[in-house]
């Protein structure tokens, strides 16, 4: 039993990793270059398969929350198969594309086409020592993922099953039909207009005496069920001998969504449904004493199903249509609608047909390694080819639904039914949405040599060609890299890395496509010095690096002018009107790549074989950012100004990671956490002239909100009349927001906007902490993740923008609105026509989006050996229950989630129950 528990702690069944394991682990630089972590000078962070195993999500990026310092993982809304997380490394460093380069086994591929069970490790590369190796694509950082491979040892077979159930959280609560009618009348009155509903109509809503004409439909309740469910089955084999090692895995998962009703139609369902089959085979073959062949084949087949109506349109309707707008169906059995609301949410789910998408992705690699000791000891060569094919197909069966408007006939008049649309038969169409082909060719030569016990050198010369072709015009890309890297160790304590790459991109001018990217890194392992050697000190290392990486993922053909259709002109002896062309876009003069000058310093500390601490500080100076040219060129140019490579952004920050692993009696426990602070400042962006410094975007962070500073709400007409400062944005009424006069001119206009809060792109502070324990086979692990210095604009339709644009109104807004009888209300007065005094970007709506979430909680039991002896071939068995995104501590009053402020598919709390078997 003791042996079993130790295996559990160190292996897949528990997430803690000992200090010795950390020190001896491999640090990947990418490009086929890796070293013992103790000797690495880079600032990379790693998450292993053991840590990832506690969150086996449908899309793999959603398993990365809070695990790796420097990696910000932000949740997205959407269907289960398309809600992959947004990833940033060390915050924001450019005003353009901010996503990192994602590599799977060294090639650029999507992480969300992986199964979580495929992943051996995820490494985040974030400083110059490693990023200079990626040249013109390294500036935003690299997420380097390795898949599992075989090993020399007895075969291990795994069989895992999970049942998953999801529940939507923080669904908005909208008012009932009677309350909406009252609110609409109130908003019209505030606008000086006549009420829409009479007293007897209000009574009909309140008493539900005529529900066909004055209904009360809870659209959210009618359209959404309270759970989704799915399955995840995984089978793998791993092992090998001296000559052949293998890993093979098959993973199947499915998910059925939260829509209802979805089975009203014979022959098809309109439910959100998804299924995916992943397969992976990695084979390592020893061809002789000096040769090795690695074969990798991975792919997946996926199918998704949904109503023909787009998911965003369904939820826009659910957030917009009032409870009293129309019945689901009239007494004639026809879908209800009005001339204003033709978007009956239930009809959009059930009555528009369906569409299905199919994805077929195949990834194949061949790698050949040849030792060349007969030329020089320690010399070897590697050649590798990767071929990828991705395709997406659509089939649509669409139709229009029949709808009618029902109008009550009062005072003996006949009820009226007005036909608005007719039903049409299903119309089948199909299309090829995307076809992507990717070719990678890598060739490298390695030299690995020791001279005695003092000197160690590893040098690499690397060539890479990456070409992607995609369906569509000007959609392809190509990159070429020539890389040199040297890693030198002296007396196992002094470390030196040098990298130099030449890198080119096809999106640049053919005469200016190449860039040079050098970097140097140094380290000092102080714990190897005789004066510092001690039994309690496992490692103390100082390291620093400086270098340059680039970025050039712009649009294509920017270095050329473009032409489009112009006005006609008359030509010829008998003048005839002929269509002409005009210059629509000027070429970017001297188009070049962004240059990221990266400085990093840090230290690694490990002690008592229990404690591990890593701290890094960095500074990033990004130059030659492609920015708008409006502020640099005169408006008399007469054509849209081209962009210019003269933007500058500085960013800096600090990252801390720590862990403690120990045992007290029969209790194993572990604690860990990571914290990162990342701030950026725009130094140059060709900003247009602004008359006051506080209006300038330069000097602030990327994505900084600007708007009006709210001083309160006007409570009376007298307060409006007596205030010397006048708001000229719109007519001011009691219940409107009162803005601060920033420039002292006694007028509130566009010159009174200031910086508000932070940005909504990436938080400045990102942190996570985990804890776990086990006692005699019973255990738990928990992961918390949070952010701070983060803002969201509260402009969600109907929740914070009621009535305008024919929206309904949330119960939260209705209960907290200003009225003459509630002058201390939190939110402005109701209005049907809208008001520029209230519904703009201002400090009331720029909210603090900080949060702390319980991302994962797992409770498990490792079955004792005596229990599983009766199970043929089973060596280990574990049962578990998991919860994901169980709660959030934030400042949103429980109304919305700080990661979801729009009208879209809700975020889901997930509950998983499963079993792991090892044979």
């Amino acid at each position: 039993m003791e042996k079993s528990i130790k295996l559990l702690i160190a292996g897949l069944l528990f997430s803690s990793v000992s200090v010795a394991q950390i020190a001896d682990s491999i640090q990947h630089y990418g490009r086929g270059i890796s070293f013992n972590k103790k000797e690495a000078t880079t600032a990379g962070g790693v998450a292993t398969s053991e840590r990832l195993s506690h969150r086996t999500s449908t899309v793999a990026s959603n398993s990365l929350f809070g695990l790796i310092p420097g990696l910000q993982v932000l949740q997205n809304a959407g269907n289960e198969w398309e809600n992959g997380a947004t990833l940033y490394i060390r915050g924001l460093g450019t005003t353009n594309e901010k996503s990192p380069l994602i590599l799977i086994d060294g090639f650029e591929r999507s992480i969300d086409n992986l199964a979580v069970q495929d992943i051996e490790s995820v490494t985040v590369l974030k400083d110059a020592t490693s990023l200079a190796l990626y040249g013109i694509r390294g500036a935003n950082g690299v997420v380097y993922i390795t898949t599992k491979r075989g090993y020399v040892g007895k075969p291990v077979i795994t069989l895992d099953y999970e049942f998953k159930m999801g529940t939507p959280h923080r669904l908005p609560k909208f008012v009932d039909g009677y309350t909406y009618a009252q609110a609409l009348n109130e908003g019209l009155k505030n606008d000086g207009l006549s009420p829409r509903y009479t007293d007897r109509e209000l009574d009909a809503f309140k008493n539900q005496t005529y529900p066909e004409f004055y209904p009360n439909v809870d659209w959210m309740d009618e359209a959404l069920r309270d759970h989704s469910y799915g399955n995840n089955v995984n089978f793998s084999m791993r092992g090998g001998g001296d000559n052949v090692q293998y890993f093979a895995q098959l993973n199947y998962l499915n998910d059925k969504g939260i829509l209802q009703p979805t089975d009203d139609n014979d022959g098809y369902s309109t439910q959100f449904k998804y299924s995916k089959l992943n397969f992976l085979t990695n084979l390592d073959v020893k061809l002789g004493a000096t040769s090795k062949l690695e074969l990798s084949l991975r792919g997946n087949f996926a199918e998704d199903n949904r109503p023909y109506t787009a998911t965003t349109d369904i939820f826009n309707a659910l957030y917009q249509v009032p409870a009293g707008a129309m019945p689901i169906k009239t007494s004639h059995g026809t879908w209800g609608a009005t001339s204003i609301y033709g978007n009956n949410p239930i009809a959009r789910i059930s009555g528009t047909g369906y569409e299905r998408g199919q994805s077929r992705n195949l990834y194949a690699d061949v790698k050949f390694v040849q030792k060349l000791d007969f030329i020089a000891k320690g010399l070897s060569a590697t050649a590798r080819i990767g071929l990828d094919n991705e395709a997406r197909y659509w089939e649509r069966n669409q139709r229009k639904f029949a709808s009618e408007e029902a109008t009550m006939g009062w005072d003996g008049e006949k009820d009226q039914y007005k036909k608005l649309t007719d039903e049409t038969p299903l119309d089948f169409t199909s299309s090829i949405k995307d076809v992507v082909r990717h070719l990678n060719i890598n060739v490298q030569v390695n030299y690995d040599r020791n001279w005695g016990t003092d000197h160690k050198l590893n040098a690499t010369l690397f060539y890479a060609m990456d070409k992607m072709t995609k369906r569509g015009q000007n959609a392809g890309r190509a990159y070429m890299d020539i890389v040199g890297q040297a890693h030198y160790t002296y007396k196992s304590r002094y470390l030196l890395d040098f990298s130099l790459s030449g890198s080119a991109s096809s999106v640049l001018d053919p005469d200016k496509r190449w860039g040079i990217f050098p970097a140097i890194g140094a380290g000092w392992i102080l714990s190897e010095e005789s004066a510092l050697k001690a039994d309690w000190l496992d490692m103390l290392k100082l390291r620093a690096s400086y270098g340059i990486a680039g970025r050039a993922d712009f649009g294509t053909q920017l270095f050329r002018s473009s032409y489009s259709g112009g006005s006609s002109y008359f030509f010829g002896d008998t003048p005839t009107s002929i269509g002409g062309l005009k210059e629509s876009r000027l070429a970017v003069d001297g188009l070049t790549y962004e240059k990221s000058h990266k400085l990093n310093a840090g230290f690694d500390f490990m002690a008592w074989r229990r404690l591990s601490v890593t701290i890094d500080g960095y500074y990033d100076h990004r130059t030659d950012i492609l920015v708008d040219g409006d502020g640099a060129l005169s408006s008399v140019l007469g054509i849209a100004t081209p962009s210019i490579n003269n933007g500058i952004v500085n960013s800096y920050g600090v990252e801390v990671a720590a862990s403690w692993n120990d045992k007290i009696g029969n209790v194993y426990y572990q604690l860990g956490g990571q914290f990162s602070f990342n701030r950026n400042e725009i130094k140059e962006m060709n900003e247009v002239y602004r008359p006051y410094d506080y209006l300038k975007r330069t000097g602030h962070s990327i994505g900084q909100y600007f708007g009006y500073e709210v001083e309160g709400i006007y409570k009376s007409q007298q307060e409006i009349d007596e205030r010397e400062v006048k708001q000229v944005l719109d007519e001011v009424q009691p219940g409107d927001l009162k803005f601060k006069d920033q420039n002292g001119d006694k007028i509130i206009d566009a010159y009174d906007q200031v910086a508000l809060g932070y940005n909504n792109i990436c938080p400045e502070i990102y942190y996570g902490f985990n804890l776990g324990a086990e006692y005699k086979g019973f255990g738990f692990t928990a992961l918390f993740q949070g952010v701070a210095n983060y803002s969201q604009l509260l402009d969600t339709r109907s929740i914070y923008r009621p009535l305008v644009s024919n929206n309904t109104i949330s119960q939260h807004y209705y209960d907290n609105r200003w009225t003459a009888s509630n002058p201390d209300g939190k939110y402005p007065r109701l209005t049907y026509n809208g008001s520029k005094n209230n519904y703009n970007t201002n400090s009331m709506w720029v909210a603090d989006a900080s949060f702390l979430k319980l991302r994962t909680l797992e409770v498990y039991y490792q079955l004792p050996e005596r229990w599983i002896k009766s199970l043929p071939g089973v060596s280990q068995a574990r049962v578990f229950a998991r919860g994901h995104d169980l709660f959030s501590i934030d400042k949103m009053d429980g109304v919305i989630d700080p990661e979801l402020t729009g009208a879209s598919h809700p975020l889901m709390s997930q509950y998983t129950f499963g079993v792991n078997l090892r044979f």
Side-chain angles (χ1 to χ4, degrees):
M1 183 63 183
E2 181 73 10
K3 180 180 179 182
S4 177
I5 293 178
K6 288 182 179 179
L7 289 172
L8 178 67
I9 297 299
L12 177 63
L13 304 180
F14 197 61
S15 63
S16 62
V17 179
S18 71
V19 168
Q21 286 175 308
I22 294 173
D24 294 337
S25 63
I26 298 300
Q27 177 68 59
H28 292 281
Y29 287 42
R31 301 300 199 190
I33 302 168
S34 59
F35 305 107
N36 182 288
K37 185 173 178 62
K38 187 175 182 179
E39 294 185 356
T41 67
T42 187
V46 181
T48 62
S49 59
E50 290 84 4
R51 300 195 69 189
L52 297 173
S53 66
H54 299 289
R55 180 158 185 158
T56 50
S57 55
T58 301
V59 287
S61 58
N62 283 330
S63 64
L64 299 178
F65 291 101
L67 295 180
I68 306 173
L71 178 66
Q72 290 81 43
V73 185
L74 303 177
Q75 192 167 24
N76 289 309
N79 290 312
E80 180 71 10
W81 63 90
E82 58 187 6
N83 66 353
T86 298
L87 307 181
Y88 299 111
I89 294 178
R90 289 186 164 176
L92 310 176
T94 177
T95 55
N96 295 310
E97 176 59 44
K98 304 164 183 64
S99 299
L101 176 65
I102 297 178
L103 302 175
I104 313 294
D105 291 329
F107 295 150
E108 184 178 9
R109 291 162 175 167
S110 170
I111 183 176
D112 289 332
N113 285 332
L114 280 172
V116 177
Q117 295 90 337
D118 294 339
I119 299 174
E120 181 68 43
S121 67
V122 179
T123 302
V124 173
L125 306 178
K126 50 194 176 181
D127 67 348
T129 306
S130 54
L131 295 181
L133 301 174
Y134 297 92
I136 217 162
R137 291 194 287 174
N140 291 344
V142 173
V143 178
Y144 189 89
I145 299 170
T146 60
T147 60
K148 296 175 181 177
R149 307 197 71 85
Y151 60 86
V152 177
K154 183 180 178 181
V156 175
I157 298 175
T158 67
L159 179 61
D160 305 319
Y161 171 75
E162 299 176 1
F163 173 78
K164 179 183 65 176
M165 185 173 66
T167 60
H169 63 256
R170 295 200 186 178
L171 284 174
K173 181 175 176 56
F174 299 118
V175 299
D176 59 22
Y178 172 64
T179 307
Y180 169 77
Q182 288 183 302
L184 180 59
N185 281 355
E186 181 182 318
L188 290 167
K189 180 181 178 181
N190 289 338
D191 293 340
L193 302 174
S194 301
R196 165 64 178 83
Y197 295 106
T198 64
D199 288 342
R200 64 179 178 180
E201 288 180 305
L202 291 174
D203 288 339
F205 276 120
K206 183 176 182 179
N207 301 319
Q208 282 298 284
T209 48
Y210 308 105
E212 183 177 10
F213 307 102
Y214 299 94
N216 182 32
V217 181
D218 186 334
W219 294 107
M220 284 285 182
D221 187 61
E222 294 289 341
L224 306 179
R225 58 182 184 174
D226 59 7
H227 69 279
S228 66
Y229 61 91
N231 302 278
N232 193 330
V233 184
N234 194 75
F235 175 80
S236 70
M237 296 185 297
R238 193 175 195 178
D242 292 335
N243 294 322
V244 178
Q245 298 90 47
Y246 58 88
F247 176 80
Q249 183 161 269
L250 193 64
N251 175 263
Y252 173 78
L253 58 83
N254 64 11
D255 184 84
K256 294 185 179 180
I258 58 174
L259 293 184
Q260 62 179 13
T262 58
D263 297 316
D264 293 345
N265 305 281
D266 290 336
Y268 66 89
S269 169
T270 58
Q271 183 61 267
F272 295 145
K273 293 192 295 184
Y274 182 65
S275 60
K276 181 169 71 170
L277 178 68
N278 285 283
F279 64 89
L280 170 65
T281 301
N282 284 335
L283 186 65
D284 301 338
V285 181
K286 188 176 181 181
L287 300 179
T290 61
S291 303
K292 183 180 179 181
L293 185 67
E294 296 181 8
L295 304 173
S296 301
L297 183 65
R298 179 175 63 86
N300 57 67
F301 304 94
E303 181 175 274
D304 54 84
N305 184 93
R306 68 191 84 188
Y308 180 74
T309 303
T311 302
T312 53
D313 291 338
I314 291 173
F315 284 95
N316 271 326
L318 289 172
Y319 276 70
Q320 180 192 24
V321 178
M326 66 271 194
I328 296 174
K329 285 188 176 181
T330 68
S331 58
H332 298 155
T334 304
W335 295 110
T338 73
S339 57
I340 295 175
Y341 301 105
N343 54 341
N344 183 320
I346 310 303
R348 284 184 170 268
I349 293 171
S350 180
T352 60
Y354 68 99
E355 60 181 339
R356 289 180 184 150
Q358 292 184 345
S359 298
R360 303 173 187 176
N361 305 315
L362 185 64
Y363 311 93
D365 311 343
V366 178
K367 180 179 178 181
F368 179 76
V369 181
Q370 177 64 54
K371 293 183 178 180
L372 301 174
D373 291 319
F374 63 90
I375 298 177
K377 187 177 180 180
L379 188 67
S380 65
T382 301
R384 189 177 182 197
I385 297 177
L387 293 172
D388 302 347
N389 186 284
E390 301 176 341
R392 175 79 169 160
Y393 307 91
W394 280 100
E395 64 176 50
R396 302 175 179 87
N397 287 270
Q398 65 186 89
R399 72 178 187 186
K400 293 181 179 179
F401 57 85
S403 65
E404 64 181 5
E405 181 175 18
T407 304
M408 175 77 179
W410 290 97
D411 302 323
E413 293 187 7
K414 186 178 181 181
D415 297 338
Q416 301 292 318
Y417 295 88
K418 180 182 179 182
K419 181 184 290 186
L420 298 177
T421 58
D422 291 316
E423 183 175 291
T424 61
L426 284 173
D427 180 24
F428 175 80
T429 59
S430 63
S431 64
I432 299 174
K433 185 176 182 181
D434 289 310
V435 176
V436 179
R437 296 181 178 87
H438 218 145
L439 170 63
N440 282 275
I441 299 175
N442 294 351
V443 179
Q444 68 185 91
V445 177
N446 284 355
Y447 182 67
D448 191 356
R449 186 74 186 273
N450 294 353
W451 289 271
T453 59
D454 288 348
H455 303 279
K456 183 191 301 184
L457 175 66
N458 184 288
T460 300
L461 184 62
F462 181 93
Y463 167 83
M465 187 275 288
D466 181 346
K467 183 177 182 180
M468 183 269 290
T469 57
K470 187 176 181 179
R471 188 169 180 262
Q473 186 177 11
N474 291 327
R477 297 285 192 279
Y479 299 93
M480 188 174 293
D481 302 286
I482 301 174
V483 179
Q485 202 272 349
H487 176 78
Y488 174 70
T489 303
Y490 178 62
K491 291 189 174 181
S492 300
R493 70 192 72 167
Y494 307 114
L495 315 171
L496 184 66
D497 275 318
F498 179 73
S499 304
L500 180 66
S501 69
S503 187
S505 169
S506 63
V507 302
L508 299 176
D509 189 317
D511 295 330
K512 302 176 182 178
R513 283 181 174 168
W514 285 88
I516 302 299
F517 305 92
I520 188 169
W524 180 16
I525 306 176
L526 285 82
S527 54
E528 292 296 321
E529 298 289 351
S530 57
L532 293 176
K533 281 191 174 183
D535 292 338
W536 63 270
L537 181 60
D538 301 302
M539 185 175 74
L540 176 60
K541 178 175 65 174
L542 300 180
R543 49 185 168 71
S545 65
Y546 175 78
I548 301 173
R551 177 196 162 271
D553 46 350
F554 312 131
T556 59
Q557 307 295 323
L558 294 182
F559 53 87
R560 291 192 175 102
S561 298
S562 65
Y563 294 81
S564 61
S567 303
S568 62
Y569 64 97
F570 289 88
F571 185 78
D573 294 335
T574 303
T576 303
S577 178
I578 300 174
L581 294 174
K582 66 178 181 181
E583 194 171 28
S584 59
R585 188 195 71 196
L586 294 177
V588 176
D589 186 29
L591 178 66
T592 188
Y593 52 90
E594 295 180 8
K595 300 166 183 65
S596 178
H597 307 257
K598 297 179 181 292
L599 174 65
N600 189 95
F603 76 87
D604 304 308
F605 173 75
M606 298 180 185
W608 303 292
R609 298 192 175 274
R610 297 175 181 86
L611 176 66
S612 171
V613 179
T614 296
I615 299 178
D616 279 281
Y618 75 91
Y619 178 78
D620 191 334
H621 178 58
R622 188 80 64 100
T623 63
D624 290 320
I625 299 172
L626 193 64
V627 293
D628 198 306
D630 285 347
L633 298 175
S634 171
S635 60
V636 301
L637 180 65
I639 191 174
T641 56
S643 298
I644 300 175
N645 282 111
N646 67 350
I648 301 173
V649 172
N650 290 341
S651 57
Y652 56 90
V654 63
E655 298 158 357
V656 181
S659 67
W660 175 273
N661 302 271
D662 202 0
K663 174 188 175 185
I664 301 176
N666 289 324
V667 177
Y668 293 83
Y669 70 94
Q670 55 92 13
L671 303 168
Q674 57 96 358
F675 171 91
S676 63
F677 170 79
N678 309 279
R679 176 164 289 176
N680 67 82
E681 180 182 350
I682 300 172
K683 305 299 290 186
E684 178 60 64
M685 57 177 288
N686 286 340
E687 186 169 9
V688 297
Y689 170 75
R690 303 185 193 274
Y692 302 102
D693 287 342
Y694 61 80
L695 293 172
K696 294 179 179 178
R697 276 55 175 169
T698 305
H700 291 281
S701 69
I702 297 166
Q704 172 71 58
Y705 280 114
F706 276 80
Y708 300 97
E709 185 178 350
V710 176
E711 293 187 315
I713 294 179
Y714 288 107
K715 296 183 178 180
S716 65
Q717 187 61 46
Q718 180 181 358
E719 184 180 357
I720 297 171
D721 295 337
E722 291 179 352
R723 190 186 186 200
E724 292 184 8
V725 176
K726 303 302 177 184
Q727 291 185 193
V728 298
L729 305 174
D730 205 342
E731 180 184 353
V732 182
Q733 296 185 33
D736 283 350
L737 297 180
K738 181 195 302 183
F739 298 136
K740 182 178 181 180
D741 178 17
Q742 302 290 345
N743 57 7
D745 65 356
K746 307 299 183 183
I747 295 174
I748 302 298
D749 53 22
Y751 295 128
D752 293 295
Q753 297 185 50
V754 294
L756 303 173
Y758 298 90
N759 73 80
N760 72 333
I761 305 173
C762 183
E764 288 190 342
I765 294 174
Y766 190 96
Y767 60 94
F769 58 92
N770 60 283
L771 62 155
E774 189 200 88
Y775 174 73
K776 293 185 177 181
F778 287 99
F780 82 93
T781 182
L783 172 65
F784 295 83
Q785 182 262 314
V787 306
N789 290 8
Y790 189 44
S791 298
Q792 290 282 10
L793 181 63
L794 304 181
D795 61 352
T796 314
R797 66 187 316 159
S798 299
I799 298 180
Y800 300 106
R801 297 291 187 269
L803 302 185
V804 297
S805 302
N806 298 311
N807 290 324
T808 186
I809 178 173
S810 65
Q811 190 68 52
H812 174 73
Y813 196 105
Y814 187 80
D815 292 341
N816 292 277
R817 75 196 188 284
W818 176 95
T819 64
S821 59
N822 183 30
D824 295 323
K826 179 179 180 179
Y827 297 127
R829 65 183 173 91
L830 295 180
T831 171
Y832 176 76
N833 290 330
S835 171
K836 294 179 182 178
N837 292 315
N838 302 323
Y839 299 141
N840 51 35
T841 303
N842 60 63
S843 59
M844 173 168 284
W845 307 123
V846 176
D848 183 351
S850 303
F851 63 80
L852 172 64
K853 292 188 175 185
L854 177 54
R855 290 295 190 189
T856 299
L857 175 63
E858 177 181 283
V859 179
Y860 64 86
Y861 180 55
Q862 170 80 3
L863 274 64
E865 292 181 0
R866 65 180 182 274
W867 289 16
I868 61 176
K869 285 181 179 179
S870 59
L871 300 177
V874 177
S875 60
Q876 292 186 26
R878 184 184 75 142
V879 294
F880 64 89
R882 293 185 194 136
H884 302 302
D885 297 323
L886 297 182
F887 69 81
S888 173
I889 300 173
D890 54 64
K891 300 179 180 180
M892 295 297 183
D893 299 323
V895 180
I896 60 174
D897 191 285
E899 292 186 283
L900 173 61
T901 58
S904 60
H905 191 292
L907 299 177
M908 306 286 285
S909 296
Q910 303 283 355
Y911 304 89
T912 302
F913 308 90
V915 58
N916 305 127
L917 299 176
R918 302 292 180 266
F919 299 89

